[in-house]
Every structure is written in structure tokens, then in C-alpha cells.
């Protein structure tokens, strides 16, 4: 018995921005971007919000709309849980998950947002699987828990909101989108066979995006001071110092944007991805030869090629969807999974690995039987 994927979907915003267009913003070239990353264009939200895209993706995954992959049409009242991974929510409250739940009429679902950077969808699946297993009939303590039989797991990002469009090191890399999967606890199918999640310290702040809570605070360390409302929040300076952003922000860069030391992240990614794949295989007592298909995070084509080479696998065993999307953080894996189902790369009974890495540094993988 296990947590099985019974549907997935994706939605991208309308505007397609080819590399050439970015030369209007920063000193770059189509040749540099495409050869260093595999990215040719990315989709950018102008009028769409994060939840707008997630709604489209979820409707496909639930079998309510054309596109995507779904084994059946799921009734709205049959979804017990919504887990929404994002680093770029439309609002803090209500959560994206709550807004999505309301729009879809998922009247019985508990719903929450979560953030594990680009590995968020992997973390979300592991939470869904664990809650399903813990509440399954016969599980110790199940009677005291919400029964979670079906869950909607979303990765949705309006990442281009937190991009510094004057920073060529980052702005060429990212794009927007949302992907969703419906998972179901099935007594007859193995579903998720193993999973692995991990954090390594990002000692040098190689990947950061500060939060920006800028309501004036009428407090000083001595107590209430209405005049403090006029001054800068002193804790912001501490956060800037902790994240190494003081200099950049003093030079006029916006605060709440992604900042990245590409080579350090590259180095982390190329070791974390193979390590996570090896760990899920070890936990399931399988080898890479037992796996038919791999769905990796899409940050850079060179990272995927490196992982394939390191594992001795042809690139054809990996779904590669980066060319016209770029990196959309936690939305990448569910969108890429949807591509793999749509193009017929995943067949019933196949063993599939989803694998990702991201800021924090987070990493992880899920191994499941389709
Ligand atoms: N156009 C032209 N030149 C550029 C650009 C650009 N857009 N960006 C950087 N350069 C220049 C640099 O300034 C540097 O010039 P210099 O040699 O004169 O100093 C030169 O290109 C080489 O820069 P590198 O950083 O060494 O380039 P690299 O080959 O490492 O590629 C890249 C950079 C694409 C960012 C790569 O390091 C990478 O993909 N890293 C991992 C990124 C990643 O995975 N991020 C996501 C993780 S988490 C998440 O998904 C949110």
C-alpha cells in the first residue's frame, strides 16, 4: 500500500520572453545564456498571480480540465489536504493554499503553504505521504488524526517578482509557472517507495532572498517609542549583515530579490542530486538499473547533464524541460513531471525518481512506482 500519484497538471503565464529580449535590460547575449544554462526563453507573469497558475494546474491534475494527466475525475469534497510550496506567495495571509482551496471548493481540505526553496515540491510530497501513512486505517494512532486519503500537492511560483532585473547573474535564469499533483492512498499499489530530504548549511550565503516586512515599528530596545516609526527597523540591518546583502543594498539594489553565487550553487547541486538519488535507491533496496525515468529540478541543463554523467545514465532517462521555462523554483518538478506523463515517458509500473535541490541548502528525492 502506498501514496500514489493519480494526476498532475501545469500552467504557465502567457508572456514568453526570449533571451534576446533580456539584452534590453542587462549586458548579456542569447549565446551566453543558452550555452551556459540551456535556457532559450522563460514565461513571465504580468497579469497572472501565483494562485491563478496553480488553479489551472490543479484543475488538470484533478481531471477537471483538458491537459496534464489524470487517472480519474476527483470530486472536490474528496481532497483532504492541500500542500502549497512557494517562495513567492501572492500574499502571506490568506495563504496560497487557502485561496486555492476556496477557488476549487475543496470543502474538506486542510490547507497550508510551505517553503523549502526549490526542493519544496519534494518536501511537500514527503509530508503528504507521511500524513497519509499515519492516518491510514490500522496505523498506530490513526484514530486521533485527520484521515488524509487524497491530497493536492502544488509547487507554484511567481518568481520573476523577486528577481533583480538589473542583475545579469540571476535575471536570465528564472521564470514563472505552477505544477500540481494529486496523490491518493491506495491499499493495492506501492506508490511512493522511499524518500529522502536533507539540509546542508549554506555557509557563504550562496543563495538568498530576504523577506521584506516594512511596516514601521514603534519600538526600541528600551520600549515603546512613537518616534521609532520614523526610523529604519534596526533588525533589518542585522538581517542584511547575516545574509551578506548590506553592500548590495547600500549600492541601491532592491532588498527582496534573489541573489546568488552561481558557481557555489552549481557545485552543491552537482553533488546533492546524485547523492539524493543514490539514497532513495538504497532505502528501497534498488539500484539505478531498476529506475526507468528521472524527473530533476530544472536550474541548468549543465547540472542535469552532469548528474546523468555521474550516474552513468543517458540524458534520455531524464525529463529536460528547461529550454522555454528557465528555473521556476518549486514549480519546476511538478511541471516537469507533468511533461513526462504528457509525452509518454512514464508508464504504469515504472519506477520514477523526482529529485531536487535549492536554497538553504535543501535537497531531496522521492522514488515511486507509477
Ligand atoms: N550574460 C553574460 N555574462 C554573464 C552573465 C550573463 N547573463 N552572467 C554572468 N556572466 C559573466 C560573469 O560576470 C563572469 O564574467 P567574468 O569571468 O568576467 O567575471 C562570467 O560570465 C562567468 O560567470 P560564472 O558565474 O563563472 O558562470 P558559470 O559558468 O558558473 O554560469 C550560472 C553561471 C549559469 C549561474 C551557473 O553557475 C549555474 O547554473 N549555477 C547554479 C544555479 C542554480 O542552480 N540556481 C538555482 C538554485 S536554487 C533555485 O532554483 C532558486
Amino acid at each position: 500500500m502506498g501514496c500514489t500519484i493519480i494526476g498532475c497538471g501545469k500552467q504557465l503565464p502567457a508572456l514568453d520572453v526570449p533571451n534576446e529580449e533580456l539584452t534590453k535590460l542587462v549586458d548579456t547575449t542569447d549565446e551566453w545564456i543558452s550555452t551556459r544554462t540551456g535556457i532559450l526563453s522563460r514565461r513571465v507573469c504580468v497579469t497572472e498571480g501565483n494562485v491563478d497558475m496553480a488553479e489551472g494546474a490543479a484543475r488538470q491534475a484533478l481531471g477537471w480540465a483538458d491537459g496534464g494527466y489524470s487517472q480519474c475525475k476527483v470530486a472536490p469534497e474528496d481532497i483532504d489536504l492541500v500542500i502549497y510550496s512557494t517562495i513567492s506567495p501572492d500574499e502571506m495571509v490568506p495563504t496560497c493554499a487557502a485561496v486555492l482551496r476556496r477557488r476549487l471548493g475543496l470543502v474538506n481540505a486542510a490547507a497550508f503553504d510551505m517553503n523549502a526553496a526549490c526542493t519544496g515540491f519534494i518536501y511537500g510530497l514527503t509530508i503528504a505521504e507521511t500524513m497519509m501513512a499515519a492516518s491510514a486505517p490500522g496505523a498506530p494512532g490513526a484514530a486521533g488524526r485527520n484521515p488524509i486519503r487524497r491530497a493536492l500537492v502544488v509547487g507554484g511560483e511567481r518568481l520573476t517578482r523577486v528577481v533583480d532585473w538589473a542583475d545579469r547573474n540571476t535575471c536570465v535564469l528564472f521564470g514563472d509557472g505552477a505544477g500540481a499533483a494529486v496523490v491518493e492512498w491506495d491499499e493495492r499499489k506501492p506508490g511512493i517507495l522511499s524518500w529522502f530530504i536533507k539540509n546542508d548549511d549554506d555557509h557563504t550565503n550562496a543563495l538568498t532572498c530576504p523577506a521584506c516586512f516594512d511596516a514601521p515599528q514603534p519600538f526600541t530596545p528600551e520600549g515603546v517609542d512613537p518616534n521609532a516609526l520614523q526610523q529604519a527597523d534596526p533588525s533589518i540591518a542585522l538581517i542584511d549583515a547575516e545574509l551578506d546583502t548590506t553592500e548590495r543594498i547600500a549600492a541601491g539594489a532592491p532588498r527582496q530579490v534573489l541573489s546568488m553565487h552561481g558557481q557555489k550553487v552549481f557545485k552543491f547541486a552537482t553533488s546533492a542530486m546524485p547523492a539524493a538519488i543514490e539514497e532513495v535507491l538504497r532505502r528501497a533496496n534498488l539500484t539505478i538499473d531498476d529506475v526507468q525515468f528521472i524527473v530533476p529540478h530544472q536550474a541548468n541543463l549543465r547540472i542535469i547533464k552532469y548528474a546523468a554523467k555521474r550516474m552513468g545514465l543517458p540524458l534520455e532517462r531524464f525529463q529536460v524541460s528547461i529550454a522555454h521555462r528557465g528555473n521556476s523554483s518549486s514549480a519546476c518538478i511538478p511541471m516537469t513531471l507533468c511533461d513526462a506523463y504528457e509525452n509518454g515517458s512514464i508508464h504504469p509500473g515504472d519506477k520514477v525518481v523526482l529529485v531536487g535541490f535549492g536554497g538553504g541548502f535543501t535537497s531531496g528525492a522521492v522514488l515511486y512506482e507509477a
Side-chain angles (χ1 to χ4, degrees):
M1 68 182 77
C3 171
T4 59
I5 294 177
I6 61 166
C8 56
K10 65 171 189 282
Q11 186 163 308
L12 293 148
L15 182 68
D16 182 60
V17 179
N19 291 344
E20 201 59 43
E21 287 282 291
L22 295 183
T23 63
K24 295 176 184 168
L25 301 175
V26 288
D27 179 15
T28 191
T29 60
D30 173 40
E31 205 259 334
W32 191 96
I33 303 169
S34 56
T35 54
R36 298 274 179 142
T37 69
I39 299 167
L40 306 177
S41 68
R42 72 284 298 134
R43 297 291 193 94
V44 175
C45 287
V46 181
T47 56
E48 306 91 340
N50 191 328
V51 179
D52 295 332
M53 298 181 291
E55 183 182 346
R59 286 182 182 279
Q60 290 180 346
L62 290 160
W64 303 355
D66 290 343
Y69 157 80
S70 66
Q71 289 178 5
C72 59
K73 199 168 171 178
V74 180
E77 58 274 17
D78 287 345
I79 295 292
D80 306 308
L81 180 67
V82 178
I83 301 175
Y84 198 125
S85 165
T86 186
I87 66 168
S88 50
D90 291 330
E91 292 106 13
M92 294 304 292
V93 178
T95 62
C96 290
V99 176
L100 183 63
R101 174 195 187 277
R102 184 173 65 196
R103 288 196 195 172
L104 297 173
L106 307 178
V107 288
N108 293 320
F112 64 94
D113 286 5
M114 53 151 294
N115 178 348
C118 306
T119 322
F121 184 76
I122 299 281
Y123 274 61
L125 274 183
T126 70
I127 296 168
E129 196 270 344
T130 306
M131 290 178 79
M132 286 178 166
S135 64
R145 303 187 176 117
N146 285 26
I148 309 291
R149 188 163 175 82
R150 279 177 213 86
L152 177 66
V153 184
V154 176
E157 303 286 2
R158 192 180 166 185
L159 213 56
T160 57
R161 277 178 114 184
V162 288
V163 163
D164 179 355
W165 293 103
D167 177 10
R168 71 173 183 176
N169 291 299
T170 52
C171 77
V172 301
L173 303 173
F174 300 109
D176 299 325
V182 176
V183 288
E184 178 180 74
W185 188 258
D186 191 326
E187 275 79 27
R188 298 152 304 156
K189 292 187 185 157
I192 292 178
L193 302 169
S194 62
W195 49 258
F196 168 69
I197 52 175
K198 188 181 181 208
N199 271 66
D200 290 277
D201 286 338
D202 178 4
H203 292 289
T204 60
N205 293 319
L207 186 50
T208 59
C209 183
C212 194
F213 301 109
D214 55 5
Q217 302 294 304
F219 303 104
T220 68
E222 283 71 46
V224 173
D225 178 358
N227 294 325
L229 284 171
Q230 318 306 325
Q231 295 153 19
D233 174 355
S235 70
I236 287 186
L238 300 177
I239 294 162
D240 288 347
E242 165 126 28
L243 298 184
D244 281 337
T245 50
T246 313
E247 217 174 289
R248 204 168 49 78
I249 288 162
R255 176 169 275 108
Q256 197 176 14
V257 289
L258 284 159
S259 153
M260 189 175 68
H261 190 295
Q263 282 181 7
K264 287 180 184 166
V265 180
F266 195 96
K267 200 169 161 207
F268 166 71
T270 47
S271 67
M273 283 227 296
I277 296 171
E278 279 158 18
E279 189 55 28
V280 283
L281 290 171
R282 193 190 66 73
R283 290 180 181 188
N285 207 15
L286 296 173
T287 73
I288 195 68
D289 297 332
D290 298 310
V291 171
Q292 280 71 40
F293 206 63
I294 298 175
V295 177
H297 178 45
Q298 312 278 311
N300 187 326
L301 177 59
R302 281 159 53 214
I303 295 176
I304 300 172
K305 282 185 173 167
Y306 191 97
K309 193 170 168 199
R310 183 151 161 198
M311 309 218 62
L313 296 174
L315 196 59
E316 294 67 45
R317 297 264 289 279
F318 290 72
Q319 178 65 36
V320 177
S321 301
I322 193 169
H324 294 286
R325 284 189 209 151
N327 177 355
S328 46
S329 190
S330 71
C332 277
I333 292 178
M335 289 201 293
T336 308
L337 177 66
C338 183
D339 297 333
Y341 275 103
E342 285 178 333
N343 66 27
S345 298
I346 297 177
H347 313 95
D350 279 358
K351 296 197 176 55
V352 180
V353 176
L354 314 179
V355 61
F357 64 91
F361 285 129
T362 58
S363 59
V366 167
L367 167 65
Y368 76 96
E369 187 172 309

